């Protein structure tokens, strides 16, 4: 174990909240609020710096544990630790990068959005209130990645829901109150199903821990199927369906296109790549370890659901005329890839799924932020049929958007390349070599899925940035913090493409090794 000498992980949660409260209180002093947003963004980069420092020393092969913890053992709840290990490291990296740079990006975007709403005589909270809610949203996602206990996980999960709901309700587009309520109801249904499974599990097991401190290191508690007995199937289903709603897999995805398309773009850039992928992380983190035999028996159905999600999301994305709505449907498709990696129940597949989280976080954040450039600077331009030829006026944004699409399609130099290679290897390891029929069937499904992803990505790239311009656009692209924040996300994406080995090596350690050895894969 790497025991931190001071509560760095708690500080990365508490400091942004305190800065957000201060921004809220100083809301009428816009320059002070902007300074606090910048400061919050730098604090949100601390988890990234922490993980990178331990990658440099090689210590990430062990878990990083915060020295401050909360003991609820006397209440049969367990212990709340904050920690980072091989499985959660890519998640923490993705959240840290995106939340930090989107906070910088959001200053210009939200200032314009608030002014626009006030010009329409709408009552809207000021930039300080936005900063407060944004910081809560960001740190509760970090808290999910840090957590070691199901109740702790759920508390942070509810924090993401409440803060994002308010951000959509206050600052969203269209019928934002109706859309935010739709988002809240759907995702809260998922949360309640998950909570029901969690409470039933804790009642039978006598603890809610999924990680525990053993021999100085955080380790998974392992399978609980023997204790749960006949309740195993019910609890596993409740947890899995609840997380599927949060993940927006096919069949329970209906809320996502509305919420992600009509949220203010900085929030879309967090919702789509970061928040929904945390459900996939939770499946790997505790569902697989609690119910390994059950998950093995359900693997064919999970694989089928993954392919349906990929293909459905991709086909519907191709039909979209709104840039943000297109990105929302592509997120459904990308979650299908994450589920595909998880469903293989192999080391390659699970590692690939965690890297999908990182590549999707980087790629989709870049694309949503690119969409926000046109909304902010080209009078709310979102209609793809009115775009075209934008690369001539916005060359930097076009280049960054191209890199975003490369992350989705798995082309170098993007982390998406490594994630897709590993997922395909996981599928080969689990099924494809069993017999000729499975080899042909899965090969055909992979060809369709990967071709469709490439098609919707580069058809949209051409429609938006190349060909004949379908709108009159005056002036040229200006380079400011607004654009540089998008560039910052892209630079980190390229860096992790080059230095992928520490990520994969850390994923191959403690948790993945335990899960795979327990599953016998």
């Amino acid at each position: 174990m790497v025991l931190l000498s001071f509560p760095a992980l708690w500080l990365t949660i508490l400091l942004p909240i305190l800065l957000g409260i201060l921004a809220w209180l100083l809301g009428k002093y816009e320059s002070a609020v902007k300074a606090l947003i910048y400061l919050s963004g730098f604090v949100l980069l601390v988890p990234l710096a922490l993980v990178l420092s331990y990658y440099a020393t090689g210590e990430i092969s062990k878990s990083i544990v915060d020295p401050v913890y909360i003991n609820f053992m006397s209440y049969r709840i367990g212990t709340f630790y904050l920690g980072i290990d091989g499985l959660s490291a890519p998640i923490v990296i993705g959240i840290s990068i995106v939340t930090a740079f989107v906070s910088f990006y959001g200053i210009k975007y939200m200032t314009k959005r608030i002014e626009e709403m006030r010009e329409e005589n709408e009552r809207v909270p000021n930039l300080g209130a936005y900063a407060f809610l944004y910081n809560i949203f960001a740190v509760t996602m970090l808290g999910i990645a840090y957590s070691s206990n199901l109740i702790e996980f759920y508390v942070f999960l509810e924090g993401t829901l409440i803060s994002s709901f308010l951000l959509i309700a206050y600052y969203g587009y269209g019928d934002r109150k109706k859309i935010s309520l739709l988002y809240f109801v759907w995702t809260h249904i998922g949360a309640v199903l998950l909570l029901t499974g969690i409470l039933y599990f804790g009642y039978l097991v006598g603890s809610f821990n999924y990680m525990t401190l053993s021999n100085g290191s955080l380790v998974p508690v392992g399978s609980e199927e023997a204790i749960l007995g006949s309740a195993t199937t019910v609890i596993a289903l409740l947890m899995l369906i609840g997380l599927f709603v949060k993940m927006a897999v096919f069949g329970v995805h209906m809320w996502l296109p509305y919420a992600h398309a009509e949220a203010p773009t900085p929030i879309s850039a967090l919702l789509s790549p970061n928040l929904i992928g945390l459900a996939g992380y939770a499946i790997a983190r505790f569902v697989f370890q609690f119910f390994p035999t059950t998950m093995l028996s359900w693997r064919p159905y999970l694989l089928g659901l993954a392919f349906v999600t990929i293909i459905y999301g991709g086909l519907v994305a191709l039909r979209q005329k709104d840039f943000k709505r297109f990105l929302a449907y592509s997120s459904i498709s990308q979650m299908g890839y994450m589920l595909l990696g998880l469903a293989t129940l192999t080391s390659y597949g699970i590692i690939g799924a965690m890297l999908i989280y990182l590549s999707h976080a980087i790629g989709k954040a870049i694309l949503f932020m690119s969409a926000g450039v046109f909304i902010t600077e080209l009078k709310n331009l979102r209609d793809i049929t009115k775009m075209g030829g934008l690369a001539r006026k916005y060359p930097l944004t076009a280049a960054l958007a191209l890199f975003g699409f490369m992350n989705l399609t798995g082309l170098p130099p993007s982390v998406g390349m490594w994630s897709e290679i590993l997922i395909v290897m996981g599928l080969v390891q689990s099924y494809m070599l069993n017999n000729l029929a499975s080899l042909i069937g899965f090969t055909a499904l992979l060809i369709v899925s990967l071709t469709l992803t490439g098609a919707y990505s580069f058809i949209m790239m051409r429609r938006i940035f190349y060909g004949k311009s379908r709108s009159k656009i005056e002036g040229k692209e200006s380079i400011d913090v607004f654009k540089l924040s998008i560039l910052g996300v892209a630079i980190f994406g390229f860096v992790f493409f080059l230095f992928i080995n520490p990520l994969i090596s850390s994923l191959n350690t403690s948790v993945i090794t335990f899960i795979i050895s327990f599953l016998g894969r």
Side-chain angles (χ1 to χ4, degrees):
M1 177 185 70
V2 180
L3 184 64
L4 298 173
S5 58
F6 64 98
L9 300 183
W10 278 109
L11 288 175
T12 59
I13 291 175
L14 296 176
L15 273 179
I17 293 176
L18 291 174
L19 291 170
I21 293 171
L22 190 57
W24 187 15
L25 295 174
L26 297 174
K28 60 183 178 181
Y29 304 104
E30 194 170 279
S31 59
V33 170
K34 291 179 179 179
L36 289 167
I37 292 174
Y38 277 114
L39 184 56
S40 298
F42 287 117
V43 174
L44 290 169
L45 282 172
V46 170
L48 171 67
L50 187 62
V51 173
L52 291 179
S53 67
Y54 283 101
Y55 277 158
T57 61
E59 293 289 353
I60 197 64
S61 59
K62 304 173 185 177
S63 55
I64 301 170
V65 184
D66 199 289
V68 175
Y69 62 90
I70 305 173
N71 191 337
F72 289 116
M73 292 297 292
S74 59
Y75 300 99
R76 298 184 67 194
I77 292 176
T79 308
F80 291 6
Y81 294 103
L82 295 185
I84 304 172
D85 66 354
L87 188 66
S88 62
I91 313 302
V92 172
I93 290 169
I95 296 170
S96 181
I97 292 171
V98 173
T99 56
F101 284 101
V102 171
S103 69
F104 305 146
Y105 169 94
I107 293 173
K108 178 177 176 179
Y109 187 98
M110 292 308 300
T111 300
K112 179 75 181 295
R113 175 61 181 151
I114 291 168
E115 289 175 357
E116 177 184 82
M117 294 176 76
R118 286 175 176 167
E119 287 172 0
E120 296 172 356
N121 296 317
E122 295 189 53
R123 295 181 62 185
V124 56
N126 59 32
L127 189 64
Y130 161 79
F132 171 61
L133 292 172
Y134 180 93
N135 284 7
I136 291 177
F137 188 22
V139 300
T140 47
M141 286 195 292
L142 280 173
I144 289 173
Y146 293 159
S147 293
S148 63
N149 180 285
L150 291 170
I151 299 297
E152 181 185 15
F153 177 95
Y154 186 80
V155 169
F156 284 121
L157 187 66
E158 283 295 287
T160 64
L161 172 58
I162 294 168
S163 56
S164 56
F165 160 72
L166 291 173
L167 284 161
I168 298 170
Y170 287 144
Y171 305 102
Y173 296 88
D175 192 351
R176 62 180 186 277
K177 292 183 179 179
K178 181 179 178 180
I179 290 168
S180 62
L181 186 60
L182 172 73
Y183 164 69
F184 184 87
V185 170
W186 263 103
T187 55
H188 198 59
I189 288 171
V192 170
L193 289 171
L194 175 63
L195 180 62
T196 304
I198 286 172
L199 294 176
Y200 195 6
F201 173 91
Y203 172 75
L204 295 176
V205 173
S207 172
F208 294 92
N209 288 340
Y210 53 82
M211 300 284 285
T212 186
L213 203 62
S214 176
N215 297 321
S217 185
L218 278 177
V219 296
V221 299
S223 172
E224 300 289 2
E225 288 176 318
I227 298 175
L228 297 172
S230 59
T232 296
T233 300
V234 174
I235 295 172
L237 268 176
L238 286 169
M239 288 187 177
L240 205 56
I241 294 173
L243 291 169
F244 280 170
V245 174
K246 291 284 190 179
M247 199 175 178
V249 302
F250 177 78
V252 286
H253 66 280
M254 290 73 77
W255 59 272
L256 185 145
Y258 297 96
H260 291 205
E262 303 307 327
T265 302
I267 306 310
S268 300
L270 268 59
L271 283 169
S272 191
N274 286 115
L275 184 59
I276 59 174
L278 285 169
Y281 165 71
I283 292 170
R285 177 93 275 174
F286 53 80
V287 176
F288 281 177
Q289 66 156 312
F290 288 156
F291 318 110
T293 305
T294 303
M295 291 300 108
L296 278 170
S297 67
W298 292 353
R299 181 169 60 181
Y301 308 106
L302 296 175
L303 287 170
L305 182 59
F307 277 115
V308 170
T309 303
I310 293 169
I311 294 170
Y312 168 82
L315 288 173
V316 180
L318 273 170
R319 297 174 53 198
Q320 300 308 305
K321 296 180 180 179
D322 182 282
F323 194 179
K324 287 184 67 179
R325 197 170 178 85
F326 157 73
L327 294 174
Y329 274 106
S330 74
S331 292
I332 295 173
S333 184
Q334 289 294 305
M335 286 302 98
Y337 282 107
M338 190 174 190
L339 180 58
L340 180 62
L342 294 169
T344 66
L345 293 171
T346 64
S347 56
Y348 290 130
I350 296 172
I351 292 170
M354 295 303 102
L355 292 181
I356 277 282
Y357 182 95
L358 180 57
S359 65
H360 185 233
I362 291 168
K364 193 55 64 66
I366 290 170
L367 289 167
F368 267 114
M369 293 164 85
S370 299
V373 169
F374 305 133
I375 292 171
T376 303
E377 299 185 358
L378 298 179
K379 299 179 181 179
N380 292 312
L381 180 61
R382 295 172 50 158
D383 189 342
I384 295 170
T385 63
K386 295 180 181 178
M387 294 182 178
L390 288 174
R392 290 190 289 273
K393 295 288 186 178
Y394 283 83
L396 177 60
T397 302
L400 292 170
L402 177 60
F403 185 67
F405 281 123
M406 291 168 79
N407 272 275
L408 303 191
T409 54
L411 293 177
S414 72
V415 178
M417 184 190 80
W418 303 115
S419 61
E420 290 194 4
I421 288 172
L422 287 162
I423 287 172
V424 172
M425 290 172 67
L427 192 58
V428 169
Q429 187 180 8
S430 64
Y431 260 102
M432 286 180 67
L433 299 182
N434 286 0
N435 53 64
L436 182 61
S438 63
L439 177 63
I440 294 172
F442 281 120
T443 300
L445 286 170
L446 281 171
I447 290 171
V448 171
S449 299
L450 295 171
T451 301
L452 183 58
T453 303
Y456 73 65
S457 295
F458 293 110
I459 286 173
M460 289 300 172
M461 182 73 193
R462 178 180 59 81
R463 288 177 181 173
I464 294 167
F465 292 101
Y466 298 102
K468 185 179 179 181
S469 177
R470 292 182 287 274
S471 294
K472 186 178 180 181
I473 299 171
E474 298 179 356
K476 293 184 178 180
E477 182 175 39
S478 60
I479 307 301
D480 52 13
V481 174
F482 192 50
K483 310 285 176 31
L484 293 177
S485 59
I486 312 175
L487 179 61
V489 177
I491 288 171
F492 275 107
F494 177 67
V495 168
F496 283 109
F497 166 79
L498 294 177
F499 299 98
I500 195 67
N501 188 59
L503 274 169
I504 294 178
S505 296
S506 68
L507 280 164
N508 258 321
T509 56
S510 57
V511 177
I512 290 293
T513 301
F514 176 85
I515 292 173
I516 303 311
S517 63
F518 199 85
L519 288 168
R521 303 295 302 171

